[in-house]
Each structure stands twice: as C-alpha cells, then as structure tokens.
Amino acid sequence: MTAGPEHRDTSTADPRATMVGQHPIAESRPLELQRLAGNRAVAGIIDQIAQETLQRVAVKERPPNETLYNQPGTGGKAKAAQYGGAVSYDMTRNGDRGVTVTIRIQFLNQARNGVDPNAPGAPPGTPRLGALIGSPTEIPATDPDNRRAWCQNIVTEQVKPWNGKLTLVGEEVNVFSSNTKKRLPVTFNSVAVFGLAEKYDQRIIVHPTSTQANPATGNPIDAGNYYLNKGNYSADDSVIAAHEYGHLLGIDDEYSQSNEMLNALLHQAAPKSAPSAMKALDKKTVERMVLSSLRQPLLTQLATTLPAITDAFRANRAVVKTKMAAAARAGVVDPAVRSELEKNLAALSDAKLAGTVPQAVAFETTANFSNLTAAGAGVDAGFDATKLAASITSMYGAALSKAQGAAVDVAGVGKTSINVHGSVPAMTAAGGAQQANAAGAASATIGSAGGPGTFLGLPVIFPSAGLTGQLTALPTTWAAAGSAVETGVTSAAFATKMAQLVKSATAAAAAPLPPGVVAPAKMTRAPTLYLRAYSVVSNMAQETCRQLSAELLNTVIQPALTASVTDLESTIQTEVNKVMSTPASGVAALGPPNPQMAALVTHMKAQLDADKAAAAGGGHTPLGSGKAAPDQNVTYSVQSLMGSSKTTEIRADQFNPLVAQFNDKLANMWEKSFTAEVK
C-alpha cells in the first residue's frame, strides 16, 4: 500500500508499522499454544512470523536546512546560502530478507523565474531568482522532447549507485539461545508518476531542452529541478540524478563546505577513536592559499624572461632542422604516407587518371621533394617566438592549476578538493597586503637567464637561475646522443604524423558542402595532377615538420615546468611546517630562512584562523540552526557522490537518519539497534 505525501494511511494495531501478509498463526491463542508446545516452540514460531512478515512505513521528516558556500561574497570570498526541504519515502521490511526504500517521484512541467529581483529595472515583487512561477502542469504524453521516457530512464539509472552497497546490521536477543545475527540488505527504488492527481513522495520539475541549466539565469540543477539541457554541468545525467536522489533520502550536500562545516562532517564520518584530520588539512589549506596567491605574480615574472627563453630555443634550430630534414626524406616515402596521398589525389581526379596518381605521388615524394625546404620552413614555424611564449605561459599556468586543484585524502571522507577563492590572490595583487612579498617570492622562483652585468661597479657574468635558467639550458643538450631531438624527430614519427594529416584532409574534403556551394571539378589532365600532388606533398610535409617541432618543444618544456611547480610546492610546504608545526628549537634544521615565503605563509594562516574563529560553533548547518556563517576565503568539496560527484562513493554515516527511522519504526522489541554497513 502506497500513499501520497498529504495523506498516509498507516493505521494498525502496532502504531509503528503496517503489517502486510499476516501469518495465519497470529490468529491463534498464544497462551494455549504455550501450554501445548512450550515457550521455546512459541518463540520459534514468533521468530518465523517476524522473518516472513512484510512491514511498510511512510517516512516523513524535515532535516535541518543545509548550508552551502556557493555564492559570491565580499571581496571575492565565498558566501553561504541556505537550502533544504522535506524528506518523504516508503520503507518496507521484508522480514529478515531485506529492506526496500521506495520514492515515488512526480515529474511535472513548470517555469522558473529568470529575473534577479536585485537587478536594475526588476519589477517590484519579483520572486527570488530561480523560484518556480505559475502552476505546474503535466508533461504531455506527446511531449516533443519525450521527457516521460527520459524520466523513466532517470529513475532506473539514479538508484544504481545506491544499490548493492548498504546493509543494516543488527541482532535479535534470544532468551533460550545465543542472539541471532541479522544482515538486511537495503534496496533503493525510484518510481516515476506523471499525473497531477497521482500520489507521490517528491515532486520534480523537468525542464525542456529549450531551457538550459545555468545558475546565473535562475536554472540550477537541484533536487527539485532536472534539465534535459545540462549546459555546462559536466556530470552524466544519471550521476546528477543519483546525487539528487540522495537529497530525497535526507542526505546533505558535501561540497562548498566551510572549514567549520567540514570539521563537523569529519566528526560525523570518522570513528570516535580516530585522530582528527583537521590539523593536517589546515596545513594543506595554507599551502594551497599560498600557491594560489603566487599564481599571477609568477606568470607576471615569467613574462619578463620569456624573450630570453624563446631566444635560447630558437638559437638551436639548426640542430633540429638537420634532424628534421633527414626524417622528412625517409618518412615521406613510407608506404602509409604514399597510400594516403594516393587516396587524397584520387578523390580529386577523374577516373581516367587512376593510373597516373601513383606515378605523381612517387615523383613528388622523391625526385621533386625538397626535404630541406619543408624542414626549414616547418621548424621555423614551430619555433615561432610569439607562439612559443604563449605555449610556455599556457603550460606553466596549467601546471599551477593542476597542483592547485589536486585533491587531498582526508581521513573519514576520502578525496577532497580545497577551493581557494578570489579573495586570496587579491591579497598579492596590486595594492594587496602581500604584493611585495609575493613579487619577491615569484622573482626567486622564476629566476633569470643570467649574462653580463655589473656588481659594485665591476663587470660580472651572472649565472642563470630558477625556472628561466632551467629552460634556457634545455636546448643546449640537443646535439648530444640520446637527446630529445634524436629520439623525438625520426622518420617513423614523421611518417605517422604526415599520414594522419593527409587522411584528415581527405576526409574534410569529402564532407558535405554547405548549401549553394558547388564542388570543384575533378582534375582531368596529368599536368594539373602533378601540380596538385606537389602542393599537397609540400604543404603536408611542412605542416608535419611544424607539428613535430611544436611537439618536441612541449616534450622538453613540460617536464621542466612541472618540476618547477613541484619544487615550489616543496618550498611552500617547508615554510608551512616551520610556521604551523615546528617548535622554535627545530626551525634551524629545516634549512635557511626564506623571509618572503614565511611572510606569505604567516599571513595566509592568519586569514584561515580568522575564518575559523568567525564560524566557530556553527556546525555542519549553521544557517539551518541560526548560527553564524561568515564569508570564507576557502571552501572544501568532498569528491564522493554527495559532494562534487567525481566518484560515486557513499559512506555509512550518511545513512544515519534512515537507520534511525528503521530502528524507530521497523525494528521489533527484541532487536538491538541496527547500524549501517557500506561496501
């Protein structure tokens, strides 16, 4: 028996549960049976009844409204907002065989307000951005987006990450024998209904493809709103729906958490005997704050040394050209290259030239092929100073971002992202409190190319230093045996690259033309074919040389940039250890002082401490419990299913409310309280 959210008929002799399929023996007289069979027999019969009885209860609860730091705050900080809603589902116990949780979801159609009431010109009385407006309507069976079929698929897929993982573990006290151990696997169901009058547990609005999910327009994906057009939401539909299903069970989000909120979550998730993970996480937080604050100063300093870096690489082009010319001469006659060239030219030629195509390809890849020209022009293009500088900047920025975004393992909740907000890099920007210290630290990290200069009025040759010194030294090794040029610029690499380029060009030429565009006439004369073959071979060979040159540069530069960022992280970590966990007597053993980095670490620690002090005592749901929720410089996102959904992991503690409902409504008087076990 299933009831809607407004009226749940659970009347029964036992106010805790509805008994379905009651065993016939329950109608006999227990006292008479005791006299005839004895207490043990009666206990066995009662136990059998319990094992076979089907009990169903309607669960309704309104958990504390959750708090998320997912709004823009003052000065680039993260601001808290309040979310949450009622929880409603049916829980059925099938004796000792298992438990089933069923949520009936009513999928309807309804619009949301896309006008920010605080925006200039917003009409008086405009509801909040994203509020549902008008009345809900049924999704038509003939909906052009076929939303009903999409919903049916969603309810099937959204429970998969939840099923096969949760077991309720408990035991029943026996008077005449040892206690009975019990393991009740929990199955989660989701049922779609589409009628306005149909009974349901939760209502979800399904927005058509014409409406794109976008929080900025009042269309965030949440527990009450699903979107066929996900916009920039990267997660799979089924993963998003599985995350939202968790909310329908009463499980809060675990992303955009303040330090105080994550601390409360850790106390919930970790065993009481486990040491706190917050001290280590606070240290890692300060490290990430410092790294984030240095990003722009580092890029700014790198820009000043890029001319010297690109000059160093370009000065060594001759070695690359020589190797590239040899690779081009041998690679262009590779059977795979010739085969793709023949296909390309055959597609452009009349059938009567079929026998001439291989001859033209053979001639243009041997006697008429200028490998020196292709290599010279291709390498010059690959070593273009402007493009090389942009590539180095992009790769260095990516290396910094990767380090900044790397998840950390936090005992109790697993991999967690540390999200440093814009208020932190603002501290080292122009006019920021730490601008000078950050500039100095960045200068020491990036270094210089060295060269002639003066010291105390005397001419000296300064050595190269820092990242700049490391990069400018790279091409000086290219003439040596086993260098990146020798291993990366080969005839095999050339052949593979050129064959791919020609194949792609052939496919592009065969693509349907836009309306009104007439396809060029096919070649009918051999001279025209030879000219075309010369152009294709020359251009493709030159482009191959350019791409191989660019790949060579990336191959040698990327590891140096990554290593530099790793060294920077180590330097930051050393200073964080000095400031946050090393007694005064042990500081000297950690190496020479780094005043500017130490100042950055001290400042960032003070910012974190201030945020923690301001939010102290708020727990996991400060806004839902009337506590303070001040803007934060840093937030945290657990990567599990109920966090940022990078994984579909779930934890036993997340089911505490559900287990409490089971123990209150479906456990019998002889059973000890059940606990959750998740695999």
Side-chain angles (χ1 to χ4, degrees):
M1 150 182 120
T2 306
E6 290 81 13
H7 300 92
R8 298 260 184 191
D9 184 6
T10 57
S11 58
T12 176
D14 181 352
R16 296 193 310 166
T18 298
M19 301 293 185
V20 181
Q22 197 171 41
H23 198 286
I25 197 67
E27 299 296 329
S28 65
R29 290 171 291 181
L31 292 177
E32 181 178 346
L33 187 60
Q34 281 180 309
R35 287 194 296 269
L36 295 174
N39 288 333
R40 290 191 180 185
V42 173
I45 293 173
I46 292 175
D47 185 58
Q48 180 183 1
I49 294 172
Q51 292 177 22
E52 299 179 0
T53 298
L54 189 69
Q55 301 167 271
R56 181 180 298 134
V57 294
V59 175
K60 283 176 162 297
E61 58 177 314
R62 183 175 292 277
N65 288 333
E66 66 175 345
T67 300
L68 293 179
Y69 276 89
N70 61 353
Q71 302 297 313
T74 304
K77 291 185 177 184
K79 183 179 181 179
Q82 189 174 1
Y83 301 89
V87 173
S88 177
Y89 55 84
D90 280 348
M91 191 185 321
T92 303
R93 176 175 181 174
N94 187 5
D96 288 345
R97 295 185 179 91
V99 177
T100 300
V101 174
T102 301
I103 302 177
R104 291 172 59 87
I105 302 176
Q106 184 188 57
F107 291 104
L108 298 175
N109 181 71
Q110 192 173 4
R112 300 179 89 171
N113 173 47
V115 178
D116 186 344
N118 299 316
T126 299
R128 66 173 176 81
L129 185 67
L132 292 170
I133 55 177
S135 299
T137 59
E138 294 183 3
I139 298 172
T142 57
D143 179 61
D145 289 329
N146 203 10
R147 279 179 282 175
R148 290 196 178 199
W150 184 87
C151 293
Q152 292 287 9
N153 179 66
I154 282 295
V155 297
T156 299
E157 294 296 322
Q158 72 179 161
V159 296
K160 288 182 178 180
W162 297 95
N163 280 324
K165 295 184 178 180
L166 175 64
T167 301
L168 300 186
V169 180
E171 62 180 284
E172 183 174 314
V173 177
N174 296 321
V175 178
F176 304 106
S177 61
S178 58
N179 292 350
T180 303
K181 305 295 184 181
K182 296 188 176 184
R183 297 180 60 83
L184 310 180
V186 179
T187 300
F188 294 95
N189 283 337
S190 183
V191 178
V193 299
F194 300 99
L196 277 168
E198 290 190 77
K199 296 176 181 179
Y200 64 93
D201 295 298
Q202 300 287 348
R203 172 178 289 176
I204 294 176
I205 305 302
V206 183
H207 300 271
T209 54
S210 58
T211 303
Q212 184 183 83
N214 183 354
T217 63
N219 288 283
I221 296 177
D222 54 40
N225 292 271
Y226 290 0
Y227 288 78
L228 272 64
N229 184 344
K230 296 187 299 179
N232 291 327
Y233 284 85
S234 59
D236 181 79
D237 282 342
S238 58
V239 175
I240 294 175
H243 173 100
E244 301 305 335
Y245 186 84
H247 292 318
L248 304 182
L249 296 172
I251 304 175
D252 283 347
D253 283 309
E254 294 181 355
Y255 62 86
S256 298
Q257 309 279 290
S258 69
N259 189 283
E260 170 72 13
M261 292 166 61
L262 186 65
N263 189 31
L265 184 63
L266 291 178
H267 282 292
Q268 170 189 301
K272 293 182 179 180
S273 59
S276 173
M278 287 308 298
K279 183 176 180 180
L281 184 60
D282 284 352
K283 289 174 62 178
K284 187 60 68 175
T285 299
V286 173
E287 290 175 21
R288 293 293 172 82
M289 292 174 74
V290 173
L291 182 61
S292 177
S293 74
L294 284 172
R295 178 187 177 87
Q296 191 53 53
L298 288 166
L299 292 172
T300 299
Q301 185 63 28
L302 177 63
T304 67
T305 67
L306 278 173
I309 295 171
T310 56
D311 285 349
F313 281 102
R314 286 174 58 79
N316 288 271
R317 283 173 293 168
V319 176
V320 182
K321 288 181 180 180
T322 299
K323 184 65 175 175
M324 192 73 74
R329 172 59 67 188
V332 77
V333 296
D334 186 272
V337 175
R338 284 187 164 183
S339 175
E340 294 300 336
L341 286 169
E342 290 173 7
K343 292 175 185 177
N344 180 279
L345 294 169
L348 303 173
S349 304
D350 189 89
K352 66 182 182 180
L353 292 178
T356 309
V357 168
Q359 299 171 9
V361 169
F363 176 71
E364 300 300 347
T365 56
T366 53
N368 204 37
F369 177 61
S370 177
N371 60 322
L372 295 177
T373 300
V379 172
D380 282 343
F383 278 65
D384 178 83
T386 301
K387 293 180 179 178
L388 178 55
S391 177
I392 293 173
T393 301
S394 176
M395 286 190 288
Y396 189 51
L400 290 169
S401 295
K402 184 177 181 180
Q404 181 65 40
V408 297
D409 282 312
V410 180
V413 296
K415 289 190 176 298
T416 301
S417 300
I418 301 174
N419 314 308
V420 180
H421 295 277
S423 53
V424 172
M427 300 171 192
T428 55
Q434 294 299 308
Q435 178 187 0
N437 286 320
S443 178
T445 300
I446 300 300
S448 69
T454 60
F455 180 71
L456 298 178
L458 299 175
V460 295
I461 300 296
F462 290 106
S464 61
L467 175 60
T468 301
Q470 296 163 16
L471 292 176
T472 54
L474 290 175
T476 63
T477 65
W478 284 353
S483 71
V485 172
E486 183 176 291
T487 58
V489 182
T490 64
S491 59
F494 183 94
T496 300
K497 177 69 67 176
M498 185 165 175
Q500 291 174 340
L501 289 172
V502 177
K503 184 177 182 179
S504 297
T506 303
L513 295 172
V517 177
V518 179
K522 291 183 178 293
M523 294 179 289
T524 59
R525 299 175 64 251
T528 306
L529 171 61
Y530 272 78
L531 287 173
R532 179 68 177 181
Y534 172 79
S535 175
V536 171
V537 171
S538 299
N539 290 337
M540 289 297 172
Q542 182 175 321
E543 176 61 16
T544 299
C545 292
R546 186 197 69 78
Q547 291 194 19
L548 287 178
S549 297
E551 290 174 3
L552 167 68
L553 291 168
N554 289 347
T555 299
V556 299
I557 292 173
Q558 182 67 69
L561 297 175
T562 300
S564 176
V565 172
T566 300
D567 289 344
L568 174 61
E569 288 184 288
S570 179
T571 299
I572 295 172
Q573 186 178 63
T574 297
E575 293 304 320
V576 169
N577 286 335
K578 286 181 181 180
V579 172
M580 298 184 68
S581 59
T582 305
S585 59
V587 170
L590 295 177
N594 188 332
Q596 292 164 326
M597 194 66 77
L600 285 171
V601 170
T602 301
H603 183 80
M604 297 307 167
K605 178 182 181 298
Q607 300 302 309
L608 177 62
D609 288 344
D611 282 353
K612 292 172 61 177
H620 191 246
T621 56
L623 292 180
S625 54
K627 303 291 181 60
D631 292 357
Q632 298 284 299
N633 287 295
V634 181
T635 59
Y636 306 85
S637 296
V638 180
Q639 293 195 347
S640 61
L641 182 58
M642 293 311 297
S644 55
S645 300
K646 297 276 172 84
T647 74
T648 56
E649 294 177 0
I650 56 178
R651 303 187 312 275
D653 66 280
Q654 293 172 316
F655 295 101
N656 288 347
L658 185 148
V659 175
Q661 291 286 344
F662 176 87
N663 286 327
D664 180 53
K665 295 180 171 66
L666 291 176
N668 67 49
M669 67 181 65
W670 297 285
E671 290 174 331
K672 295 183 178 181
S673 292
F674 282 74
T675 59
E677 178 182 287
V678 169
K679 65 178 181 180

